[in-house]
Amino acid sequence: MWCSRTALGRLQRIAPCTVTGHHRAMSALPKVYVTRRIPPDGLDILRKSGQVQFELWDSDDPVPRVELLNKVKGCDGILCVLTEKIDAQLLDVAGPNLKVLSTMSVGYDHLSLEELKKSLLIWACIFCRGIRVGYTPEVLTDAVAELTVALLLATSRRLIEATHEAKTGGWGTWRTMWLCGHELANSTVGILGLGRIGVAIAERLKPFKVKKFIYTDVEPRTELANMINAEYVSLDELAKQSDFLAICCALTPETHGICNWNLFSKMKKNAIFINTSRGGVVNQEDLYEALSTGLIAGAGLDVTTPEPLPTHHPLYTLKNCVILPHIASASYTTRNAMSALAANNLLAGLRGEAMPKELKL
């Protein structure tokens, strides 16, 4: 059990309190709550640092909201994952001790940035400090790019459907057009949101003899685009020209639901739509209509809304839709690297030093 300075002060006023040197040293360490059983590399860094006392929600399942709110009270730091909503309620409950929030994710749509900015302004005036935020970009680029290519191939060449046919007796005599899919060779690949992951996807697809890469973003990304010889186009042109469309953008108010009927209606009938970014960028009802009516050829999704996607969701009924349970970064190497970076961000922030990867609010 943690003993806050406030509680300790109350106890001292009520009765004499003898504190050993060990307990005195422990009570002086910053208190941290870790909201999930993170990969071992990160936990080892925290344990061996000797710089924090931390409590861990030791489970692969999310910490219940009530438990989370109870445990963050008086914390100096929080290490969370993308399932924890860091909002005004949590920040208010955590209180003025909170200095650092470190998320083991590259996305930060689960963080209420406006509330964090507000807290920074108010607390800077009252308490002369604000909340700093660490996140884990770049270390998952290779894993996400690999998974995106795998999902694209599985969807375009109908691998999941073919496996099902083989297992259930659908595999009969050789047929000329049975289970035909779409090739990457001589195709145009579109990327919505060109960042490091988008570049890494294109680099992996280039050996498949892709004819052309195009992209759209809030503005041209010339330096990144030059790495893959990609052409900047409008969103409408991205939809019209792409044989394969990979969604790599962050979830923001501007991108929420950007992949909707307006986009799908402009795409080719042979187009393959792939999303490994965030489920919220897609209007899933519109995607279902586009797939079920043959407006586009197929879709591969590693992310959905909500997560997990209920098993009765209509998208599961479609043979031309491949759905994965958000596993793009799920390699042993990458998850440990994310865990280590999140731990190092937390420790650096608590020391008042530059974080390896800090999200500038």
Side-chain angles (χ1 to χ4, degrees):
M1 295 294 290
W2 290 338
C3 179
S4 72
R5 296 179 182 89
T6 304
L8 182 58
R10 290 194 188 115
L11 285 172
Q12 288 173 328
R13 286 194 296 271
I14 294 170
C17 179
T18 302
V19 183
T20 66
H22 173 74
H23 287 135
R24 185 180 295 111
M26 284 297 293
S27 66
L29 291 175
K31 294 180 291 188
V32 169
Y33 187 63
V34 182
T35 70
R36 188 73 66 88
R37 180 192 299 149
I38 61 173
D41 284 10
L43 286 179
D44 286 347
I45 288 170
L46 293 180
R47 288 194 182 102
K48 294 174 181 178
S49 72
Q51 298 172 27
V52 294
Q53 51 178 321
F54 71 92
E55 187 170 353
L56 167 74
W57 176 253
D58 194 12
S59 172
D60 286 328
D61 295 319
V63 56
R65 181 70 175 181
V66 173
E67 178 77 2
L68 176 62
L69 292 176
N70 182 54
K71 293 297 185 181
V72 300
K73 293 176 182 177
C75 280
D76 298 279
I78 299 172
L79 196 160
C80 69
V81 296
L82 53 81
T83 55
E84 275 65 75
K85 187 170 180 60
I86 307 300
D87 55 10
Q89 181 191 29
L90 184 140
L91 294 173
D92 288 343
V93 168
N97 279 0
L98 186 61
K99 304 179 188 71
V100 180
L101 175 66
S102 179
T103 180
M104 190 185 130
S105 65
V106 63
Y108 44 84
D109 46 283
H110 56 301
L111 311 181
S112 297
L113 299 185
E114 289 304 315
E115 290 298 330
L116 285 164
K117 291 177 185 177
K118 189 186 300 181
S119 298
L120 178 64
L121 177 61
I122 294 171
W123 291 3
C125 293
I126 299 174
F127 299 100
C128 300
R129 56 187 154 91
I131 301 172
R132 297 171 62 191
V133 178
Y135 69 136
T136 59
E138 299 177 22
V139 294
L140 47 64
T141 297
D142 288 335
V144 174
E146 288 177 7
L147 189 281
T148 303
V149 172
L151 181 56
L152 185 153
L153 290 169
T155 304
S156 63
R157 296 303 302 271
R158 302 169 68 179
L159 300 188
I160 308 303
E161 187 180 350
T163 299
H164 176 76
E165 291 293 321
K167 287 181 177 180
T168 58
W171 185 3
T173 186
W174 186 84
R175 286 162 275 177
T176 58
M177 298 301 290
W178 187 54
L179 289 174
C180 285
H182 300 280
E183 296 181 18
L184 276 160
N186 298 311
S187 69
T188 295
V189 173
I191 300 170
L192 176 55
L194 185 65
R196 291 183 181 85
I197 291 174
V199 169
I201 291 168
E203 289 173 338
R204 285 158 175 77
L205 291 178
K206 192 173 182 179
F208 286 87
K209 299 181 180 179
V210 170
K211 179 177 67 177
K212 184 180 181 182
F213 290 103
I214 58 177
Y215 78 99
T216 195
D217 211 312
V218 292
E219 61 183 7
R221 307 292 296 277
T222 306
E223 186 176 345
L224 290 172
N226 287 342
M227 295 172 66
I228 55 172
N229 195 26
E231 177 188 347
Y232 178 78
V233 298
S234 67
L235 183 60
D236 281 357
E237 283 301 313
L238 189 79
K240 291 174 183 177
Q241 295 186 36
S242 297
D243 297 299
F244 300 87
L245 179 54
I247 310 304
C248 305
C249 60
L251 178 59
T252 66
E254 292 73 28
T255 62
H256 189 273
I258 194 172
C259 300
N260 53 28
W261 185 259
N262 184 52
L263 180 87
F264 300 133
S265 64
K266 294 180 174 68
M267 292 175 68
K268 301 177 182 181
K269 286 195 173 182
N270 67 322
I272 302 295
F273 176 86
I274 303 294
N275 184 21
T276 53
S277 60
R278 284 291 185 267
V281 305
V282 178
N283 182 312
Q284 290 176 173
E285 289 73 23
D286 289 354
L287 177 60
Y288 174 82
E289 289 300 319
L291 290 168
S292 61
T293 60
L295 191 63
I296 63 174
L301 310 175
D302 183 50
V303 287
T304 60
T305 302
E307 292 184 359
L309 191 67
T311 56
H312 60 269
H313 196 281
L315 284 171
Y316 283 123
T317 67
L318 302 176
K319 291 183 178 180
N320 58 345
C321 186
V322 177
I323 301 174
L324 303 179
H326 202 152
I327 59 168
S329 65
S331 76
Y332 293 109
T333 300
T334 293
R335 290 286 172 85
N336 268 301
M338 293 171 68
S339 173
L341 180 53
N344 284 322
N345 281 338
L346 179 79
L347 294 174
L350 288 171
R351 292 193 302 265
E353 300 172 357
M355 294 182 183
K357 291 296 175 182
E358 183 167 2
L359 181 63
K360 300 300 182 181
L361 299 180

